Amino acid sequence: MSVEVICVIYILTFIFSMAPFFSHFPLGQMTDLIYTEKELVQSLKEYIQAEESKLAAVKSWANKLDVLTLASTADPEVYLAHPVNAYKLMKRLNTEWSELESLVLQDPSDGFISNMTVHRQYFPDEEDEKGAAKALMRLQDTYKLDSESFSKGKLPGVHHNAILTVDDCYDMGKTAYNEADYYHAVLWMQQALRQMDAGEEHVVSKADVLDYLSYSVYQMGDLPRAIELTRRLVAIDSSHQRAGGNLRYFEKLLSKQLKELNQEVQEPATEEPIQLGTYKRPKDYLPEREIYEGLCRGEGVKMTSARRSRLYCRYHDGNRNPRLLLQPMKEEDEWDSPHIVRYLNALSDSEIEKIKELAKPRLARATVRDPKTGVLTTANYRVSKSAWLEGEEDPVIERVNQRIEDITGLTTQTAELLQIANYGVGGQYEPHFDFSRKDEPDAFKTLGTGNRVATFLNYMSDVEAGGATVFPDFGAAIYPKKGTAVFWYNLFRSGEGDYRTRHAACPVLVGCKWVSNKWIHERGQEFRRPCGLTEVD
């Protein structure tokens, strides 16, 4: 039965149920009922129109999502390798599907709601969407990408584009604004405004964009531009609850500042588009931020010709280890001091797939050890998913552990479990030490195996753009290459930490980065790497 028929039956039933009373009504009241009926018919038409609009909206959703899922399921890994696609997937599942659910709930559909109920437990939540937005901003900062390039999907190493709409840019800016990150709020609100002015369709109002943008610009200390933007807002919406007050406040504040500088009050200059670099990015907690991010972009790498001449490649048999005699490892120097080497063919494709298969069900937000308590906890400077695998779980893990021991000559009996890490959109690990310092003696106390003497890092994927391992202290950048591994010592033979080994995992710009870490500890190495009396290798 159609919606129209149901509505007519409902209204007629209502009218006929009143029939016994009609004979008692004066003609005037009966006339009123005529007009009441007319209003009901109009209400019926509005209801039908609303239902048709809802159905059209649902159809539009279905068609759009059909196209999207057709593209995303063709090759999920390639699709998700683009950070904008990853962000928009988070946004769709957290925000837009919820809006669709609300739309359908206006006329409940048991099948749809039951499906939503079953699958909602797997959906990203608001924090996930916020995290994905922050990841895009992190990439924007690290690789110096302007908002317009991001919005148009023009990223290095990308052969297909993913577009951010006006509303996407607005949501990005609002996420930053809510975190009091006015620097990024300005960049993304400005991009939303730019696309609006170019005629792009949008749901959010220009007044809302100007409201957030003008206040964020004010927070960045640019009063003339804040005044210009607020005037645009007042021109669009003269009754805006904050715009008038903000404009008077900004103008008064600018006048006061100019008087203190003995300058005449001038009209704000004609507004010019805000670009990347218009405002200086605020300093944060990381002292080597500029060096670290520069290395991630390939800037400041101190690989001189003289240093390169000291780097060699060789066959490595692990001091005539029986398992490496017939098939020695190919070893290449990545850096001379501290000595960092790369091993080729350290993992086969089948081993990598098995390790990923074992790790995927256990992947959880990566943790770091609290330097004071030694307890594992999450941290904003490490954004990845990780899992820990024991040798007894599968012959492949046991074989990988044995191979690491054969290559390094160090026992893995006291090493930590094999850690598998997956860095997705914007995934990173900011500059850190693998070993514990003197001011954090309890970092590995619970393990009872001493400090981390060495790091063995397996790259289990290629990365299209970004994702390098960088060492800010001496300007090295090591790029992921599937199947290879890099190795370095964190401690001198004296047991003192080598502070030069502070390193970082750069944000993944395009692609997906998989690595496995083996942190080898001091205990059990007494005869394999004898102690020295000085802080030298």
Side-chain angles (χ1 to χ4, degrees):
M1 188 176 295
S2 69
V3 171
E4 292 90 335
V5 173
I6 293 173
C7 291
V8 170
I9 292 174
Y10 172 79
I11 292 173
L12 291 177
T13 303
F14 169 74
I15 293 173
F16 291 152
S17 68
M18 297 176 63
F21 302 96
F22 287 170
S23 58
H24 302 288
F25 285 177
L27 184 61
Q29 289 186 356
M30 293 288 289
T31 304
D32 289 341
L33 287 177
I34 294 292
Y35 288 104
T36 298
E37 183 181 31
K38 184 177 180 179
E39 290 178 7
L40 287 171
V41 171
Q42 181 61 35
S43 178
L44 170 63
K45 290 180 178 180
E46 291 173 355
Y47 175 73
I48 293 171
Q49 185 177 9
E51 283 291 340
E52 288 175 343
S53 297
K54 185 184 79 172
L55 185 58
V58 173
K59 284 181 178 179
S60 175
W61 264 100
N63 292 334
K64 182 180 75 172
L65 292 170
D66 188 37
V67 173
L68 277 171
T69 53
L70 191 64
S72 63
T73 55
D75 192 333
E77 289 196 1
V78 169
Y79 180 83
L80 290 175
H82 198 302
V84 169
N85 284 335
Y87 163 69
K88 294 191 74 170
L89 176 64
M90 293 289 186
K91 182 186 174 190
R92 281 200 305 276
L93 290 176
N94 177 54
T95 303
E96 298 175 2
W97 274 97
S98 294
E99 293 171 0
L100 178 59
E101 180 183 11
S102 299
L103 180 64
V104 174
L105 274 172
Q106 293 173 12
D107 184 17
S109 171
D110 293 339
F112 175 78
I113 298 306
S114 62
N115 273 335
M116 285 292 294
T117 303
V118 170
H119 294 293
R120 176 160 293 283
Q121 58 182 316
Y122 304 111
F123 282 7
D125 57 19
E126 186 176 350
E127 284 301 310
D128 292 319
E129 182 182 339
K130 186 193 302 182
K134 288 182 177 179
L136 289 189
M137 296 174 204
R138 187 160 55 245
L139 292 172
Q140 182 178 28
D141 293 339
T142 303
Y143 298 105
K144 289 189 174 180
L145 300 168
D146 60 76
S147 301
E148 187 169 10
S149 294
F150 245 123
S151 176
K152 294 181 179 179
K154 295 179 179 178
L155 302 179
V158 175
H159 304 293
H160 52 278
N161 292 340
I163 306 301
L164 286 172
T165 65
V166 169
D167 298 288
D168 291 330
C169 293
Y170 170 78
D171 288 338
M172 289 282 292
K174 194 172 180 182
T175 296
Y177 183 92
N178 290 338
E179 296 284 313
D181 179 4
Y182 301 111
Y183 172 78
H184 289 106
V186 166
L187 292 177
W188 286 101
M189 289 298 176
Q190 172 69 33
Q191 182 58 30
L193 185 61
R194 183 182 292 116
Q195 292 178 214
M196 270 184 176
D197 290 342
E200 185 178 310
E201 291 185 4
H202 52 86
V203 175
V204 63
S205 70
K206 183 173 286 190
D208 283 341
V209 173
L210 286 168
D211 187 20
Y212 280 105
L213 179 57
S214 59
Y215 187 77
S216 297
V217 165
Y218 156 70
Q219 286 289 345
M220 293 303 295
D222 190 348
L223 275 171
R225 194 186 297 268
I227 291 171
E228 177 65 27
L229 289 166
T230 308
R231 285 178 177 174
R232 283 188 64 181
L233 173 56
V234 171
I236 291 173
D237 184 1
S238 59
S239 63
H240 193 281
Q241 60 179 0
R242 289 182 301 277
N246 284 352
L247 182 57
R248 289 188 293 273
Y249 175 73
F250 294 159
E251 290 174 336
K252 182 178 179 181
L253 195 58
L254 180 61
S255 177
K256 180 181 178 182
Q257 289 181 1
L258 292 175
K259 285 181 180 179
E260 290 175 353
L261 297 171
N262 294 319
Q263 296 180 7
E264 294 184 2
V265 177
Q266 298 177 350
E267 285 295 307
T270 303
E271 180 198 343
E272 296 180 0
I274 298 167
Q275 307 290 341
L276 190 67
T278 299
Y279 302 119
K280 190 172 182 180
R281 189 165 131 219
K283 296 285 185 181
D284 64 7
Y285 55 87
L286 193 62
E288 68 262 66
R289 170 75 62 191
E290 291 184 10
I291 298 174
Y292 152 58
E293 292 183 349
L295 287 170
C296 290
R297 295 189 298 271
E299 302 168 5
V301 177
K302 299 176 181 177
M303 179 56 74
T304 63
S305 56
R307 170 167 282 117
R308 194 181 302 278
S309 68
R310 296 193 293 271
L311 304 181
Y312 300 93
C313 59
R314 64 191 70 82
Y315 283 106
H316 175 75
D317 63 9
N319 197 22
R320 299 191 62 77
N321 184 290
R323 281 178 287 269
L324 296 179
L325 278 176
L326 295 178
Q327 191 174 358
M329 298 297 298
K330 295 176 181 177
E331 181 183 86
E332 297 178 349
D333 291 333
E334 286 283 352
W335 208 258
D336 55 346
S337 182
H339 194 203
I340 303 174
V341 296
R342 186 194 293 262
Y343 295 103
L344 278 58
N345 304 318
L347 287 176
S348 67
D349 287 348
S350 61
E351 288 173 331
I352 289 172
E353 290 309 310
K354 185 62 180 180
I355 292 170
K356 288 164 66 173
E357 177 190 326
L358 293 170
K360 282 179 180 178
R362 309 185 205 176
L363 287 174
R365 175 72 185 272
T367 57
V368 296
R369 286 193 182 275
D370 186 297
K372 295 182 179 179
T373 64
V375 176
L376 291 173
T377 183
T378 59
N380 290 331
Y381 58 82
R382 187 178 194 186
V383 183
S384 64
K385 300 281 189 179
S386 67
W388 300 81
L389 301 179
E390 297 189 47
E392 294 79 9
E393 294 183 49
D394 193 276
V396 168
I397 307 303
E398 185 65 42
R399 187 164 67 245
V400 169
N401 287 340
Q402 183 62 58
R403 186 178 301 141
I404 293 172
E405 184 167 317
D406 294 341
I407 293 171
T408 64
L410 302 173
T411 181
T412 57
Q413 295 302 308
T414 56
E416 295 175 47
L417 302 180
L418 190 68
Q419 187 205 53
I420 317 305
N422 175 223
Y423 296 84
V425 52
Q428 65 163 5
Y429 193 175
E430 290 181 350
H432 62 282
F433 298 101
D434 279 354
F435 64 91
S436 65
R437 275 74 68 211
K438 291 180 179 179
D439 59 345
E440 46 182 28
D442 295 333
F444 303 115
K445 185 177 181 180
T446 55
L447 300 179
T449 53
N451 211 341
R452 286 173 171 171
V453 68
T455 295
F456 195 96
L457 173 61
N458 287 298
Y459 292 118
M460 302 198 302
S461 65
D462 295 313
V463 179
E464 293 179 60
T469 304
V470 298
F471 294 78
D473 186 79
F474 49 89
I478 299 174
Y479 296 94
K481 185 177 180 182
K482 186 178 180 181
T484 69
V486 292
F487 172 76
W488 68 85
Y489 282 104
N490 298 305
L491 306 180
F492 291 108
R493 287 186 179 274
S494 64
E496 295 294 325
D498 187 345
Y499 284 79
R500 298 173 300 172
T501 61
R502 183 172 169 85
H503 61 286
C506 295
V508 174
L509 178 57
V510 181
C512 185
K513 179 182 175 184
W514 284 87
V515 299
S516 59
N517 294 291
K518 194 70 173 179
W519 287 296
I520 303 171
H521 283 245
E522 292 177 287
R523 298 293 179 265
Q525 317 302 344
E526 292 81 1
F527 296 104
R528 294 175 180 245
R529 191 188 190 231
C531 295
L533 299 178
T534 58
E535 294 185 8
V536 294
D537 288 69

